Amino acid sequence: MDCRVVVEAAVPVYDVETEDEAIRIAISKTGEMLNPDLNYVEIEMGSRTSPSGEELLPAFVAADEALVALELEMRVFNVEQEEHAARIARKEIGKRLTNIPLQVLLVEPIPEEGENETAEHADSGRTPTEEDESGHGDGEGDDDLIPEFEDLVEDN
């Protein structure tokens, strides 16, 4: 099973005056720590809400220092359980982001490609190989077909 894992990171940023500046610096700082080893991790701004439910910026600035909430998303392949995927993501990201607290927000199984193909072909009313076996495709690329093994053996 493959999973999509989203981890929240609390990134400290120093010598900033505004929330926007803190967010830009936090994303840049996190990207530098993750690259080149984990360049496939997507970095996005996190979300925060006040106790009353009001949406807040993901950065809190006080005394020219900020704490920025970022969401880091990565895909983990060939795991047995969702819990295993969460541990792998925390370990891989945590190795590069030293002294930055992490919390797993979401673990979501990724549907396998075979499941999607079966569903698509069920909607079209044909099996995946029906057109291929009949030899009557859309006509495009017929000149580029690979010859059968028997044809190759007969020519030699």
Side-chain angles (χ1 to χ4, degrees):
M1 164 174 59
D2 300 338
C3 291
R4 179 179 149 257
V5 182
V6 178
V7 178
E8 182 178 47
V11 182
V13 180
Y14 307 101
D15 298 323
V16 294
E17 294 179 11
T18 66
E19 288 88 357
D20 290 335
E21 180 183 16
I23 292 167
R24 283 194 314 269
I25 292 171
I27 290 173
S28 175
K29 177 181 175 180
T30 304
E32 287 175 7
M33 287 191 274
L34 292 174
N35 282 324
D37 297 330
L38 295 180
N39 60 359
Y40 49 86
V41 175
E42 294 180 29
I43 304 169
E44 297 179 6
M45 293 188 315
S47 59
R48 296 182 338 159
T49 56
S50 69
S52 64
E54 179 185 351
E55 288 290 322
L56 302 172
L57 287 174
F60 175 75
V61 178
D64 291 338
E65 294 185 5
L67 189 61
V68 181
L70 295 179
E71 292 181 0
L72 310 173
E73 178 183 325
M74 72 179 287
R75 294 175 185 245
V76 181
F77 301 98
N78 298 325
V79 293
E80 296 285 327
Q81 302 171 341
E82 292 178 12
E83 181 181 305
H84 186 214
R87 282 191 306 232
I88 290 171
R90 278 191 62 151
K91 180 182 177 193
E92 290 299 314
I93 292 172
K95 276 196 271 185
R96 278 105 182 148
L97 301 182
T98 56
N99 298 324
I100 294 180
L102 300 174
Q103 179 182 2
V104 176
L105 295 178
L106 172 73
V107 179
E108 179 180 79
I110 300 170
E112 300 207 10
E113 290 184 23
E115 294 172 7
N116 289 343
E117 289 177 13
T118 304
E120 289 173 10
H121 292 297
D123 292 340
S124 69
R126 66 171 190 87
T127 61
T129 58
E130 187 176 297
E131 188 174 282
D132 299 330
E133 290 174 359
S134 69
H136 300 292
D138 56 5
E140 294 180 22
D142 287 344
D143 297 334
D144 298 332
L145 292 177
I146 298 173
E148 294 294 325
F149 180 74
E150 291 84 19
D151 295 337
L152 291 173
V153 173
E154 291 174 7
D155 290 342
N156 291 332

